[in-house]
Amino acid sequence: MCELLAMSANVPTDIVFSFTGLVERGGVTGPHVDGWGITFYEGKGSRTFKDAAPSSQSHIAKLIKSYPIKSEVVISHIRQANRGCVALENTHPFSRELWGRYWTYAHNGQLSDYMEKFATKRFQPVGSTDSEMAFCWILEQVVQQFGDIPPVDMQPVFEFIAQLADDVRQLGVFNLIISDGDFLMCFCSNNLSYITRCAPFGKAKLIDTDVVIDFDTETTPNDVVSVIATRPLTNNEDWYIMQPSEWKLFRLGEIIAEGCATKLSPSECQL
Amino acid sequence: MCELLAMSANVPTDIVFSFTGLVERGGVTGPHVDGWGITFYEGKGSRTFKDAAPSSQSHIAKLIKSYPIKSEVVISHIRQANRGCVALENTHPFSRELWGRYWTYAHNGQLSDYMEKFATKRFQPVGSTDSEMAFCWILEQVVQQFGDIPPVDMQPVFEFIAQLADDVRQLGVFNLIISDGDFLMCFCSNNLSYITRCAPFGKAKLIDTDVVIDFDTETTPNDVVSVIATRPLTNNEDWYIMQPSEWKLFRLGEIIAEGCATKLSPSECQL
């Protein structure tokens, strides 16, 4: 499996604190040594740092920890390979352009019997992971549903993606984070949590390494920052543990829509 | 205008030496202070480092200079903005997936009256540069010409792109570097040069900063490495200065096809 990390904020915010906890899971406190990646959006632009080396040993991860890049949307992933070998082309996050926006995606989980379902034409996988195939398939469905011009209201697009994610979930485990650089959606298959931080800010202590931050000294009273992670990253804050098939749509740090996309069993979804 | 740098090699090779010369042109020996980027292919995978800060002052450029990433295909660009503001989304190289490959592209020059010509549907620009619009238009034409499945022989695709590039050149200056991670093509509008290094290797001295390298100690006798740049990067080697409308297609360090795509005036093309 893998570990996911994402952030949505209403002001450009650095994710160094959370990333510092995450990279420990890439070889120190966790077994996810098969590469890592992080995408930062800055306006409509984005940049992705990737490495097939373990995050805990990566020169580039060291740079990210020491050089705060401020961003309103971030998606990160550390990998423990199951489908697809250890290689740069199999390293998340994956990115494609659609509607003049860069869409970025990362997946935690494993799927089975997906080859036929995920056959695509316009969006083709470059690597050999189930994850990238699912991403291409999702974008292909989005274009088929909404056409070549994006709708003015993007919320239905993400609701549609949540339904698709629940469909994919029937093939295995499919915890998903996806963004167009403005909206950030997460879908829980079995393992996803988040926290929304706003004033009054307090101190937070990482679980995976001995680092404490006082957000009060790092923020202004108007800041709103949500962090999503496979497992909570701090041990003195209340993280919300998501339920299977639950999805949350964030924009500028806040949840703007949420729901339960289950087709499996309504009793699974306990919002 | 901008400066281009690219490499094609038959073994994974680091481009630290050439990149060290290039970044000086981003604020020290040249005026290209409006961002920079570099794409490294590793197998089918690729990673792009970008910064809207001047390359000569960039933390990330420092990392690239100190941490050799070995690659068979590299494309780099430093920017002096003309069309489009200084922003990450306007920073080259640009990348899109087509046919299950990441295509990477950088442009030196400036175009006029291009808006109508470059209207596209499938590949949309994210930023506001003439360069990215031309890239999207080129890929759109390639799909229209060759369809959704790539031909077994890719050479005609690049020959077609050279013809498109010459077409675009009629709107201004269009020095182009494009790659699918396997092939690397460069098209000269008015300013492009290259060198192919192979055994016996010698010493090379950068023009832009006081660095000398002895390639003989860095290589094996079978290595073949071509470097393409807007202007020669070393002052003790024979760089080939390309002619207007001339194009070269590299693979594994060597030129595998070349030609002149001019529609303007055959006398301009003096191969």
Side-chain angles (χ1 to χ4, degrees):
Chain A
M1 305 292 269
C2 313
E3 295 251 355
L4 297 168
L5 169 66
M7 185 191 80
S8 168
N10 68 344
V11 288
T13 302
D14 85 61
I15 198 166
V16 166
F17 175 73
S18 299
F19 186 72
T20 299
L22 184 78
V23 298
E24 293 294 309
R25 298 179 182 176
V28 179
T29 59
H32 315 89
V33 297
D34 300 325
W36 65 276
I38 187 166
T39 298
F40 298 89
Y41 282 95
E42 290 158 70
K44 291 180 77 183
S46 72
R47 44 181 164 175
T48 298
F49 297 84
K50 282 186 177 185
D51 211 339
S55 57
S56 61
Q57 298 164 23
S58 164
H59 284 267
I60 300 165
K62 265 182 214 157
L63 173 84
I64 303 298
K65 284 200 289 179
S66 64
Y67 175 58
I69 295 176
K70 297 209 170 192
S71 178
E72 287 169 359
V73 175
V74 175
I75 294 180
S76 183
H77 181 274
I78 55 175
R79 182 164 185 243
Q80 186 179 11
N82 41 54
R83 308 274 185 234
C85 62
V86 178
L88 198 60
E89 67 264 28
N90 289 335
T91 304
H92 307 224
F94 299 104
S95 179
R96 294 288 186 280
E97 175 268 314
L98 169 64
W99 297 335
R101 308 281 309 197
Y102 294 120
W103 290 70
T104 302
Y105 156 106
H107 161 224
N108 155 265
Q110 187 168 350
L111 305 173
S112 299
D113 303 323
Y114 51 84
M115 294 298 281
E116 198 175 327
K117 181 184 183 76
F118 289 158
T120 52
K121 205 166 79 168
R122 172 166 162 178
F123 299 96
Q124 295 278 334
V126 175
S128 54
T129 61
D130 50 356
S131 307
E132 191 188 9
M133 289 182 78
F135 179 41
C136 292
W137 178 80
I138 285 171
L139 292 183
E140 195 115 327
Q141 305 311 305
V142 166
V143 171
Q144 281 178 21
Q145 181 77 7
F146 294 93
D148 284 314
I149 297 167
V152 176
D153 179 9
M154 287 292 286
Q155 190 174 317
V157 176
F158 286 94
E159 287 175 10
F160 180 69
I161 293 173
Q163 292 294 339
L164 296 173
D166 198 65
D167 194 19
V168 174
R169 192 191 152 215
Q170 298 181 46
L171 303 178
V173 175
F174 194 67
N175 299 295
L176 158 75
I177 294 179
I178 190 166
S179 177
D180 68 344
D182 187 14
F183 298 86
L184 177 83
M185 196 191 75
C186 59
F187 172 86
C188 175
S189 181
N190 68 344
N191 227 350
L192 211 53
S193 56
Y194 74 87
I195 189 167
T196 300
R197 297 186 181 114
C198 55
F201 292 96
K203 286 186 182 173
K205 185 182 176 318
L206 287 178
I207 293 171
D208 296 86
T209 185
D210 193 19
V211 175
V212 177
I213 192 169
D214 184 353
F215 285 117
D216 194 42
T217 64
E218 307 277 332
T219 53
T220 73
N222 297 326
D223 293 7
V224 181
V225 181
S226 288
V227 174
I228 302 107
T230 297
R231 294 177 287 138
L233 289 163
T234 59
N235 58 10
N236 66 331
E237 297 179 299
D238 286 330
W239 288 70
Y240 179 93
I241 309 298
M242 292 176 69
Q243 299 299 312
S245 291
E246 196 179 350
W247 59 271
K248 305 277 175 186
L249 182 61
F250 296 87
R251 185 161 184 267
L252 297 173
E254 298 190 64
I255 292 173
I256 60 159
E258 59 193 334
C260 183
T262 191
K263 288 177 198 163
L264 295 175
S265 155
S267 66
E268 279 195 292
C269 214
Q270 300 159 332
L271 295 186
Chain B
M1 305 291 269
C2 311
E3 296 251 355
L4 297 169
L5 169 67
M7 185 190 80
S8 168
N10 67 344
V11 288
T13 301
D14 85 62
I15 198 168
V16 166
F17 175 72
S18 299
F19 186 71
T20 299
L22 184 78
V23 297
E24 292 294 308
R25 297 179 184 176
V28 179
T29 59
H32 315 89
V33 297
D34 300 324
W36 65 278
I38 187 165
T39 298
F40 298 89
Y41 283 95
E42 290 158 69
K44 291 180 78 183
S46 73
R47 44 182 164 175
T48 299
F49 298 84
K50 281 187 177 185
D51 211 339
S55 58
S56 61
Q57 297 165 25
S58 164
H59 284 267
I60 300 165
K62 264 183 214 153
L63 173 84
I64 303 298
K65 284 200 289 180
S66 64
Y67 175 58
I69 295 175
K70 297 208 170 192
S71 178
E72 287 170 358
V73 174
V74 175
I75 293 181
S76 183
H77 181 274
I78 54 175
R79 181 162 187 245
Q80 186 180 12
N82 42 55
R83 306 275 184 234
C85 61
V86 178
L88 197 61
E89 68 264 26
N90 290 334
T91 305
H92 306 223
F94 299 103
S95 178
R96 294 288 186 279
E97 175 267 316
L98 170 63
W99 296 335
R101 309 280 309 194
Y102 294 120
W103 289 71
T104 302
Y105 155 105
H107 161 224
N108 155 266
Q110 187 168 349
L111 306 173
S112 299
D113 303 324
Y114 51 84
M115 294 298 282
E116 198 175 328
K117 182 183 183 77
F118 290 156
T120 52
K121 205 166 78 167
R122 172 165 161 178
F123 299 96
Q124 295 279 333
V126 174
S128 54
T129 61
D130 51 355
S131 307
E132 190 188 9
M133 290 183 77
F135 179 41
C136 293
W137 178 80
I138 285 171
L139 292 182
E140 195 116 328
Q141 306 310 305
V142 167
V143 171
Q144 280 179 20
Q145 181 76 10
F146 294 93
D148 284 313
I149 297 166
V152 176
D153 179 8
M154 287 293 287
Q155 189 174 317
V157 176
F158 286 94
E159 286 176 9
F160 179 68
I161 293 173
Q163 292 295 338
L164 295 173
D166 199 65
D167 195 18
V168 174
R169 191 190 153 218
Q170 298 181 47
L171 304 177
V173 176
F174 195 68
N175 299 293
L176 159 75
I177 295 179
I178 191 166
S179 176
D180 68 343
D182 187 15
F183 298 87
L184 177 83
M185 195 190 78
C186 58
F187 172 85
C188 175
S189 181
N190 68 344
N191 227 349
L192 211 53
S193 56
Y194 74 88
I195 189 167
T196 299
R197 298 187 181 114
C198 56
F201 292 96
K203 286 186 182 172
K205 186 183 176 315
L206 286 179
I207 293 171
D208 295 271
T209 186
D210 192 19
V211 175
V212 176
I213 193 168
D214 184 354
F215 285 115
D216 194 41
T217 64
E218 308 276 333
T219 53
T220 73
N222 297 326
D223 293 6
V224 181
V225 181
S226 289
V227 174
I228 300 107
T230 297
R231 295 176 286 138
L233 289 162
T234 58
N235 58 11
N236 66 331
E237 297 179 299
D238 286 330
W239 288 69
Y240 179 93
I241 310 298
M242 291 177 69
Q243 298 299 309
S245 291
E246 195 179 350
W247 60 271
K248 305 276 176 188
L249 182 61
F250 297 86
R251 185 162 184 265
L252 297 173
E254 298 190 65
I255 292 172
I256 60 159
E258 58 193 335
C260 183
T262 191
K263 289 177 195 162
L264 294 175
S265 156
S267 66
E268 279 192 292
C269 214
Q270 300 160 332
L271 296 186

